[in-house]
Amino acid sequence: MLSFETTCAFFVASLLMAMTPGPDVIIVLTQSSLYGMRAGVLTTLGLMTGLLGHTLAVALGVAVLFQTSEATALKFLGAAYLLYLAWQSFRSGVFRAFLTQSLFPGYGTLYRRGFLSNITNPKVTLFCLAVLPQFVEPERGPPTLQILSLGGLYELACLIVFTAIAALGGRMATWFNRSDRAQMLMNRIAGCIFLGLALMLAFASR
C-alpha cells in the first residue's frame, strides 16, 4: 500500500510529465484538432491501453529484480536513462503540429493508432522502468502491487491531461504552434523533473 505522501508526490509529478510536449501530446492534439474531441478521447484510450502493457511488463520484471543483485545495476541504468531524458529536454527546441484535412478514418482506427504508437515505443518501457521502481517502498508490501498502483496513477494523470487536450482541440493546436516560449518552458520543466528523478534514483538506498 502506497503512503499518502508518496501517492501525492508521484501524482503531481505524473501530471507535470504528462503535460510535457511529446509524441503522445502531439497525436492527441492533432487527432482532436482534425476530427473533434471524441477522436482525441479514443486516441487517448488507445495510448492508455499501450501504457498498461508497459506497466505490466515492468511490474512483473522488476518484482524479480528487486530480490537480486541486479537491482543495483537496474538503478543506475534507470538513472542514466533519466539523465538522457533531461538532456534531451534541455536541448529541445520547438515543434510544429502540421495539421492537414483528410477523410475521417473511424474511431476504431484512431484507437488502434494510439495503441500502436505507444506499445511499439520501447522508450515508454524504459521510462516506466526508470521512474516507477524508485517510488516503491519495500516495507509497504509487494513491489509488483506498488508498481501497478503507481502505473495506475500515471495512467490517471495522463488520462486527465490528454482528455483536457482533446477538449481544447484546435485551440490548443493553435497555441502550441504559435507559442515557442510556452514549448521551451515546458521542455525546461520536464528537464528539471527528469534530472531530479535521476538524482533521487542514483542516490537512493537499495
Side-chain angles (χ1 to χ4, degrees), residues 109-131:
T109 298
L110 291 172
Y111 173 85
R112 288 192 297 273
R113 188 176 294 174
F115 172 73
L116 290 173
S117 71
N118 189 286
I119 198 66
T120 58
N121 185 357
K123 290 184 178 180
V124 179
T125 296
L126 289 174
F127 178 81
C128 292
L129 192 62
V131 175

Side-chain angles (χ1 to χ4, degrees), residues 63-158:
V64 176
L65 291 176
F66 256 83
Q67 308 303 323
T68 71
S69 59
E70 299 297 326
T72 300
L74 175 63
K75 180 178 74 171
F76 287 108
L77 177 62
Y81 179 66
L82 285 168
L83 287 174
Y84 169 71
L85 291 181
W87 176 73
Q88 278 198 323
S89 296
F90 283 127
R91 69 186 291 271
S92 290
V94 297
F95 60 83
R96 290 291 182 269
F98 295 102
L99 306 180
T100 58
Q101 294 298 325
S102 60
L103 296 176
F104 180 63
Y107 292 120
T109 298
L110 291 172
Y111 173 85
R112 288 192 297 273
R113 188 176 294 174
F115 172 73
L116 290 173
S117 71
N118 189 286
I119 198 66
T120 58
N121 185 357
K123 290 184 178 180
V124 179
T125 296
L126 289 174
F127 178 81
C128 292
L129 192 62
V131 175
L132 301 185
Q134 67 178 291
F135 286 90
V136 170
E137 300 169 292
E139 70 278 5
R140 288 188 169 271
T144 300
L145 296 180
Q146 292 189 54
I147 289 175
L148 289 175
S149 297
L150 291 166
L153 286 173
Y154 184 59
E155 290 227 13
L156 178 60
C158 290

Side-chain angles (χ1 to χ4, degrees), residues 2-203:
L2 298 172
S3 67
F4 178 76
E5 294 78 10
T6 297
T7 299
C8 291
F10 180 78
F11 188 67
V12 171
S14 295
L15 286 172
L16 292 173
M17 288 186 286
M19 287 187 285
T20 303
D24 289 350
V25 170
I26 282 291
I27 190 172
V28 174
L29 190 60
T30 54
Q31 300 309 300
S32 60
S33 298
L34 286 170
Y35 308 119
M37 177 180 174
R38 186 178 296 181
V41 171
L42 264 295
T43 303
T44 295
L45 293 177
L47 291 169
M48 296 301 95
T49 306
L51 181 58
L52 177 60
H54 291 291
T55 301
L56 288 172
V58 170
L60 295 175
V62 171
V64 176
L65 291 176
F66 256 83
Q67 308 303 323
T68 71
S69 59
E70 299 297 326
T72 300
L74 175 63
K75 180 178 74 171
F76 287 108
L77 177 62
Y81 179 66
L82 285 168
L83 287 174
Y84 169 71
L85 291 181
W87 176 73
Q88 278 198 323
S89 296
F90 283 127
R91 69 186 291 271
S92 290
V94 297
F95 60 83
R96 290 291 182 269
F98 295 102
L99 306 180
T100 58
Q101 294 298 325
S102 60
L103 296 176
F104 180 63
Y107 292 120
T109 298
L110 291 172
Y111 173 85
R112 288 192 297 273
R113 188 176 294 174
F115 172 73
L116 290 173
S117 71
N118 189 286
I119 198 66
T120 58
N121 185 357
K123 290 184 178 180
V124 179
T125 296
L126 289 174
F127 178 81
C128 292
L129 192 62
V131 175
L132 301 185
Q134 67 178 291
F135 286 90
V136 170
E137 300 169 292
E139 70 278 5
R140 288 188 169 271
T144 300
L145 296 180
Q146 292 189 54
I147 289 175
L148 289 175
S149 297
L150 291 166
L153 286 173
Y154 184 59
E155 290 227 13
L156 178 60
C158 290
L159 183 61
I160 292 172
V161 172
F162 294 166
T163 300
I165 291 174
L168 291 174
R171 259 185 220 180
M172 198 72 171
T174 300
W175 182 66
F176 269 116
N177 275 301
R178 291 180 179 176
S179 180
D180 293 356
R181 184 177 179 181
Q183 292 182 45
M184 295 295 289
L185 177 61
M186 288 302 299
N187 280 325
R188 298 304 176 266
I189 291 174
C192 290
I193 292 173
F194 292 137
L195 179 59
L197 290 172
L199 293 175
M200 286 173 58
L201 181 58
F203 292 104

